[in-house]
């Protein structure tokens, strides 16, 4: 005889551990990575923007054989390029947008998991099978929506670079 209650629990546990938690963890790690990249580009741009006028007002001339190199002018050029690159990278890769999207998806998945496990909110009045179907529907919908948003960002990036 097949134990449908045990099968349902196994299916639920399998989904929670192997699908929901896998994606929640992935979104969490991607959010951390994108936040770090966003903050790095912002710090690089801010520090560079502050340094350029300061360095521009000094002159450090170093004689090299028959040449004289103005280290300050060279430094301003390099820093200016780095600032432009930092701003361009954010404009192309949208680190902030990706970070927020990944974090909100991760938080949504975790919230739905907790509501389901504790039978709270929309899950409170449902039998276990109906609650599980609602959970799967919401989780898969959130994953599909996040994928669509990411593809939209990547498509927008490709369109801007053509």
């Amino acid at each position: 005889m097949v134990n449908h209650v045990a099968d349902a629990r196994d299916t639920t546990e399998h989904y929670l551990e192997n699908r929901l938690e896998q994606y929640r963890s992935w979104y969490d790690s991607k959010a951390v990575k994108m936040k770090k990249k966003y903050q790095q580009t912002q710090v690089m741009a801010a520090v560079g923007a502050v340094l350029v006028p300061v360095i521009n007002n000094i002159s450090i001339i170093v004689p090299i054989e028959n040449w004289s190199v103005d280290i300050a002018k060279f430094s301003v050029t390099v820093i200016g390029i780095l600032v432009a690159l930092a701003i361009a990278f954010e404009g192309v890769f949208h680190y902030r947008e990706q970070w927020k999207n990944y974090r909100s998806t991760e938080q949504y998945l975790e919230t739905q998991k907790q509501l389901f496990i504790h039978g709270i909110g929309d899950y409170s009045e449902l039998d276990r099978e109906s609650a599980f179907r609602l959970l799967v529907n919401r989780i898969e919908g959130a994953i599909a929506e996040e994928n669509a948003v990411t593809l939209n960002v990547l498509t927008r990036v490709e369109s801007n670079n053509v």
Side-chain angles (χ1 to χ4, degrees):
M1 181 171 174
V2 176
N3 187 343
H4 292 291
V5 174
D7 288 346
R9 278 197 195 110
D10 289 346
T11 301
T12 300
E13 291 302 316
H14 180 76
Y15 184 81
L16 290 174
E17 292 172 16
N18 296 309
R19 178 73 170 171
L20 194 155
E21 187 54 34
Q22 175 189 9
Y23 269 87
R24 193 212 55 76
S25 178
W26 187 86
Y27 286 125
D28 180 54
S29 67
K30 292 296 276 186
V32 168
K33 183 178 178 182
M34 291 300 124
K35 180 180 180 180
K36 183 177 180 179
K37 285 184 177 196
Y38 172 71
Q39 289 175 329
Q40 287 172 337
T41 58
Q42 295 303 298
V43 166
M44 184 187 303
V47 168
V50 169
L51 288 177
V52 165
V54 172
I55 295 172
N56 195 42
N57 286 321
I58 59 175
S59 182
I60 305 168
I61 308 235
V62 177
I64 301 175
E65 293 185 20
N66 295 334
W67 295 31
S68 292
V69 177
D70 188 340
I71 299 296
K73 189 179 278 188
F74 177 76
S75 298
V76 165
T77 302
V78 170
I79 293 169
I81 290 169
L82 292 175
V83 168
L85 283 172
I87 293 167
F89 285 154
E90 174 55 29
V92 170
F93 297 115
H94 303 280
Y95 297 131
R96 180 175 182 257
E97 188 176 330
Q98 288 188 61
W99 158 39
K100 290 171 62 178
N101 185 45
Y102 290 142
R103 179 58 65 212
S104 65
T105 302
E106 182 270 331
Q107 291 292 303
Y108 180 80
L109 297 184
E110 182 62 25
T111 298
Q112 290 303 310
K113 177 182 172 182
Q114 293 304 317
L115 291 173
F116 171 77
I117 288 171
H118 298 289
I120 300 170
D122 292 341
Y123 301 100
S124 65
E125 300 297 322
L126 301 175
D127 61 78
R128 195 71 174 168
E129 185 179 329
S130 297
F132 179 65
R133 282 197 306 265
L134 178 61
L135 173 72
V136 170
N137 189 37
R138 287 183 174 176
I139 298 306
E140 297 305 318
I143 292 168
E145 183 179 336
E146 187 285 320
N147 287 335
V149 169
T150 298
L151 287 174
N152 186 32
V153 168
L154 294 177
T155 302
R156 187 172 64 217
V157 167
E158 291 170 6
S159 298
N160 290 341
N161 290 329
V162 173

